Amino acid sequence: MFKLVQNHKVLYFISLILIVSYSVVDLLKSILMSYIFDDHLLDSILSLIVIVLIFLGVYLIVSSLQQYVVEVLKNKIRYSLNKNLYQSYASRNIESFQKKDSSEILNEFNNEVNVVIDNYVSSKLNVFSLTISLILGSLYIANLSVEILMFLLFCAFITILINSIFKNSLKKNQMNYLDSMKQWLCSIKNLCRCFNDIKILNLEKVFCDGLDIENKNLEQSTLKNNGFIKILTSINSFISQAMFFLTLLFGIVLIHYNRLTVGQLLGIAQASNMVIMPIVNYANLRNMIQSSKPVLQKLLDNSICSEEKEPIIFDEQIHDIKIKHLSYSYGVRQILDLNNLVIDQGKKYLVIGKSGDGKSTFLDILTKQKKADGIYVNNKDLKDVQFSTYADKFSYVNQDNDLLPFSFEQNITLGRKMSKYSLKDLVTMMLAYK
């Protein structure tokens, strides 16, 4: 958790303080109920109304602040996770980036980040909140009746034991759901990418049949994951209701033997929620935390660029590129085998060959989109040269001339500062050249 909040420590501690404050106000509700019945505050309706209104005002303020600040914290963490991910991906070379399918990356930014926020962060904050409530509620009940507190703790222990049995099943269901979502996103992406070919080749039914399979898998994994959690939640809710009524029956027995007053029993009944609900919910929250830990670790690992650092800063013009020995293969098929080739500045070279002979691969290697040994730029080993400084020294036109997702001006300037007059002259010159 501290890795996630390291940039938001102040906000995190404010959230914890407000969670504690909310638990204190919740305990005051139990104390107020006990005093109303035992200290005869009912005899003064005006005093009762004033006290209740003050309490409701404090409750509204603390509750609203607590929920708002926690929501702000979760959104800050979501922002940081997304930022770390896209900065990490942007810093990778093209070959490293293309090792992942785009649907897998989309799944990370959307579903996996949400799983971390909803299952891990929310559960961690809820566990803290429930722990504070458990401590305060137990102290209050113990002060009035140790017997009832021991009874509640025993029942809660049984509930935790029941929930812990299903921990591994919850974890497995969560991971299966994420895998199904990733496959579904991949199928939708393929529909968008291949739509023209699907229509031209009249393959709508074949493709829809494949989508039906992935859609069905997603439906089943979602139902298995969420439905199983709902069933456990219902069981826990039943146990908590049974514990509440058993507490009342236990308290009535103690009243009969003059061990409790009616007001004290009502206070205990109210405070019992601060003991019953934390322990009943703790098992589910712990399982959600455990199931989301692999997802969190995966996101944290992907946020760290694992590429080798390129220490050589290339701060000179390119005079020549020497290829002493370049060999590149796709699997067992060798695509390139070049020796003693020199590319000099200012000269023109023609690269010809059939489709698949390695023309694009050769250009990808020269532009460091793919890694290979045996290439030297100004006698410096290309694989050790920092790409950002090397890339500024050459330009090329790719065979896929897609516009970047920027404005018209940014597509021309590529992020470089240029006056509007210079830009206008450049566009005019290019149009005249055409």
Side-chain angles (χ1 to χ4, degrees):
M1 185 69 178
F2 286 105
K3 288 183 179 180
L4 296 174
V5 300
Q6 59 183 349
N7 296 326
H8 317 290
K9 292 179 181 177
V10 174
L11 187 60
Y12 177 61
F13 285 113
I14 291 175
S15 299
L16 298 185
I17 291 171
L18 287 172
I19 288 173
V20 173
S21 301
Y22 177 78
S23 297
V24 172
V25 172
D26 202 26
L27 178 63
L28 288 177
K29 183 167 55 177
S30 302
I31 297 173
L32 178 61
M33 185 172 292
S34 178
Y35 278 138
I36 286 175
F37 284 89
D38 280 348
D39 291 354
H40 307 292
L41 289 178
L42 288 173
D43 296 340
S44 176
I45 300 299
L46 182 60
S47 299
L48 176 61
I49 293 175
V50 171
I51 292 173
V52 170
L53 288 176
I54 292 174
F55 170 78
L56 290 176
V58 173
Y59 183 87
L60 176 63
I61 293 171
V62 174
S63 175
S64 300
L65 280 175
Q66 183 248 333
Q67 293 189 38
Y68 178 76
V69 172
V70 167
E71 196 62 33
V72 171
L73 175 64
K74 290 195 294 185
N75 278 285
K76 290 289 186 182
I77 294 174
R78 179 182 283 105
Y79 171 82
S80 296
L81 284 173
N82 283 329
K83 181 178 180 180
N84 290 339
L85 275 175
Y86 64 67
Q87 286 185 339
S88 171
Y89 279 120
S91 67
R92 302 183 183 194
N93 61 41
I94 296 175
E95 185 179 23
S96 174
F97 182 84
Q98 290 177 341
K99 288 179 180 179
K100 280 198 172 185
D101 186 81
S102 60
S103 59
E104 184 176 356
I105 297 175
L106 284 172
N107 194 52
E108 288 178 2
F109 278 98
N110 187 22
N111 297 304
E112 293 185 7
V113 167
N114 287 334
V115 165
V116 170
I117 298 299
D118 296 335
N119 288 10
Y120 187 84
V121 176
S122 295
S123 297
K124 281 283 189 179
L125 293 173
N126 284 334
V127 165
F128 178 78
S129 175
L130 295 173
T131 302
I132 298 300
S133 294
L134 174 63
I135 293 172
L136 294 178
S138 297
L139 291 174
Y140 177 74
I141 294 175
N143 183 57
L144 298 178
S145 174
V146 176
E147 298 96 329
I148 291 181
L149 176 62
M150 296 303 295
F151 168 73
L152 290 174
L153 293 179
F154 174 76
C155 293
F157 172 76
I158 298 300
T159 306
I160 291 178
L161 188 62
I162 293 172
N163 278 266
S164 63
I165 296 173
F166 303 103
K167 180 182 70 173
N168 291 332
S169 296
L170 287 168
K171 181 177 180 179
K172 182 180 178 180
N173 291 342
Q174 178 71 72
M175 298 308 294
N176 287 340
Y177 163 74
L178 288 175
D179 287 340
S180 297
M181 180 58 73
K182 181 177 70 175
Q183 293 299 322
W184 173 248
L185 289 174
C186 183
S187 298
I188 297 301
K189 185 199 72 173
N190 288 335
L191 172 64
C192 298
R193 181 171 58 87
C194 306
F195 185 76
N196 288 349
D197 294 332
I198 292 170
K199 296 297 291 185
I200 292 171
L201 298 173
N202 196 26
L203 296 174
E204 295 94 329
K205 185 179 184 305
V206 175
F207 205 88
C208 285
D209 288 343
L211 285 175
D212 284 339
I213 295 173
E214 297 300 338
N215 193 18
K216 190 66 176 178
N217 290 337
L218 178 61
E219 177 204 6
Q220 293 175 348
S221 62
T222 303
L223 179 61
K224 191 173 183 179
N225 182 52
N226 297 342
F228 191 53
I229 292 175
K230 294 298 182 183
I231 291 173
L232 284 179
T233 302
S234 298
I235 293 173
N236 290 336
S237 178
F238 168 78
I239 294 174
S240 66
Q241 294 298 323
M243 290 172 65
F244 177 77
F245 284 107
L246 288 173
T247 300
L248 289 179
L249 293 175
F250 198 176
I252 290 172
V253 173
L254 293 177
I255 290 175
H256 178 73
Y257 289 102
N258 296 321
R259 299 284 300 276
L260 277 180
T261 65
V262 174
Q264 288 174 335
L265 177 58
L266 291 174
I268 289 175
Q270 179 61 45
S272 66
N273 290 324
M274 300 178 66
V275 177
I276 296 172
M277 297 312 297
I279 301 181
V280 166
N281 291 331
Y282 175 75
N284 278 338
L285 290 173
R286 183 174 180 276
N287 286 330
M288 292 174 71
I289 291 171
Q290 293 298 324
S291 66
S292 59
K293 270 187 176 180
V295 183
L296 172 62
Q297 191 59 51
K298 180 172 177 286
L299 290 178
L300 292 178
D301 291 343
N302 287 339
S303 298
I304 302 173
C305 185
S306 59
E307 296 181 56
E308 297 180 4
K309 293 187 176 180
E310 302 168 325
I312 299 178
I313 297 176
F314 197 82
D315 56 356
E316 55 192 279
Q317 294 298 319
I318 298 176
H319 302 303
D320 57 57
I321 298 176
K322 295 178 181 177
I323 300 165
K324 296 183 178 180
H325 176 68
L326 170 61
S327 177
Y328 198 89
S329 302
Y330 289 111
V332 296
R333 182 192 175 201
Q334 188 178 45
I335 198 79
L336 288 174
D337 185 19
L338 301 174
N339 295 284
N340 300 322
L341 175 65
V342 179
I343 301 175
D344 290 315
Q345 182 190 34
K347 292 185 178 180
K348 295 180 180 179
Y349 297 86
L350 176 64
V351 181
I352 59 174
K354 296 181 294 184
S355 178
D357 278 354
K359 301 184 298 299
S360 297
T361 299
F362 180 55
L363 183 60
D364 289 343
I365 292 172
L366 293 182
T367 55
K368 295 201 69 171
Q369 297 180 32
K370 298 185 184 299
K371 292 181 180 179
D373 295 324
I375 302 179
Y376 297 84
V377 52
N378 291 2
N379 294 319
K380 295 181 176 66
D381 196 330
L382 182 61
K383 71 174 186 289
D384 295 330
V385 172
Q386 188 179 69
F387 176 73
S388 59
T389 57
Y390 166 72
D392 284 339
K393 306 301 185 298
F394 68 87
S395 61
Y396 75 101
V397 178
N398 200 341
Q399 62 182 357
D400 298 320
N401 299 318
D402 296 329
L403 289 174
L404 297 171
F406 304 143
S407 67
F408 175 71
E409 178 181 341
Q410 289 174 315
N411 266 275
I412 295 176
T413 62
L414 296 179
R416 295 174 175 83
K417 291 185 178 180
M418 180 180 292
S419 69
K420 291 184 178 181
Y421 297 104
S422 300
L423 179 62
K424 183 178 179 181
D425 293 340
L426 179 61
V427 173
T428 303
M429 181 179 67
M430 291 301 295
L431 291 175
Y433 176 77
K434 183 178 178 181

